[in-house]
Amino acid sequence: MTIFKEIVDEEYLTVPEVKELLADIEDERALDEEREMRYELARAIEHVNRFAELDAEDSRALVEELQEHEKVTETIAFKIADLLPRTRAEMRSVYAQQRYSLSGDELDDLLNVVKKYV
């Protein structure tokens, strides 16, 4: 007998949004002294605390502004918001797996959007 799990809903989140969600879980667990935090949860909290540079509202605004550009898909917008590339080379690496590449002007436009939020 095999048990299958069905994906009910899927949503992209930025690292700062995940940080807020995990902070709520951490606070909830701190109130219950008998409930220990699992290793995976502790590592996830440590990761988001280290890498979340923006707050959740700014990261979501960045994603929305990035999606206004023609060659920025939802997935790429979230990658850019999480990585916050600061150079052309870093921005090119985000697009490394795409079937197209961006011109220097397009890269500069995206970098200017990121600079507004960093």
Side-chain angles (χ1 to χ4, degrees), residues 15 18-20 22-23 26 42-53:
V15 172
V18 173
K19 181 179 178 179
E20 283 187 355
L22 290 179
E26 185 179 26
R43 295 291 297 173
I45 291 169
E46 179 184 327
H47 177 84
V48 296
N49 286 335
R50 180 178 297 160
F51 292 108
E53 294 183 33

Side-chain angles (χ1 to χ4, degrees), residues 5-6 22 34-35 37 41 46 64 72-73 75 77 80 83 86 97 103 112 117:
K5 294 185 178 183
E6 179 182 352
L22 290 179
E34 294 177 13
R35 197 166 176 194
M37 199 174 345
L41 178 60
E46 179 184 327
E64 290 171 5
V72 179
T73 63
T75 306
I80 292 171
L83 298 172
R86 291 174 173 83
Q97 294 183 338
S103 69
N112 288 335
Y117 292 91

Side-chain angles (χ1 to χ4, degrees), residues 55-96:
D55 61 10
E57 293 81 23
D58 285 344
S59 68
R60 183 56 72 163
L62 173 59
V63 167
E64 290 171 5
E65 190 169 345
L66 286 167
Q67 284 182 313
E68 293 173 5
H69 288 76
E70 181 181 337
K71 291 188 176 179
V72 179
T73 63
E74 182 183 24
T75 306
I76 291 176
F78 278 91
K79 275 186 192 179
I80 292 171
D82 288 341
L83 298 172
L84 297 173
R86 291 174 173 83
T87 65
R88 282 184 175 189
E90 290 173 352
M91 186 65 78
R92 272 197 187 97
S93 69
V94 173
Y95 280 89

Side-chain angles (χ1 to χ4, degrees), residues 8 11 16 22 28 31 50 65 69 91 97 108 110-111:
V8 177
E11 175 185 0
L22 290 179
E28 179 184 310
L31 295 175
R50 180 178 297 160
E65 190 169 345
H69 288 76
M91 186 65 78
Q97 294 183 338
D108 290 340
L110 296 176
L111 288 170

